[in-house]
Amino acid sequence: MVGIELKLTGDLKTQNLIPWICHRAGVLDLKGWVKRHSGSSVEIAVFGPEPLLDAMEVACFLGPCDAFVTSLQKRELTVGAIPNDFLTT
């Protein structure tokens, strides 16, 4: 299992974004967490098989129809304590 951190920026004020991210992570059976920093920044940590992490990255860049992602930064995470589910913080 590997982990990545995704930092999304853009027009992310929609209330649908966090539930949408959690739903996508659940569909892909990924573990991790998501945290909103502002209306223009969201941080996501996801853990799972690499092909599914790639799918999550693409999904997050496309986002729900009422969010506009202008930038996505990705970095690898060291796998440590992994949540049993996908959490919002």
Side-chain angles (χ1 to χ4, degrees):
M1 185 176 292
V2 294
I4 59 171
E5 178 185 73
L6 302 172
K7 289 188 179 181
L8 310 177
T9 55
D11 184 1
L12 309 176
K13 295 178 192 83
T14 176
Q15 294 300 312
N16 297 326
L17 182 62
I18 301 299
W20 185 89
I21 290 170
C22 293
H23 179 263
R24 290 298 177 267
V27 167
L28 296 170
D29 197 29
L30 298 173
K31 309 301 182 209
W33 51 263
V34 59
K35 181 177 182 179
R36 180 184 299 275
H37 290 286
S38 68
S40 62
S41 177
V42 172
E43 183 179 355
I44 307 162
V46 288
F47 301 91
E50 195 167 346
L52 297 179
L53 296 179
D54 291 342
M56 185 68 175
E57 179 182 358
V58 171
C60 286
F61 189 75
L62 296 173
C65 63
D66 55 352
F68 184 66
V69 177
T70 57
S71 172
L72 183 147
Q73 296 176 334
K74 173 182 167 181
R75 74 176 182 95
E76 289 187 29
L77 292 174
T78 303
V79 177
I82 299 171
N84 294 328
D85 206 345
F86 202 81
L87 312 170
T88 60
T89 60

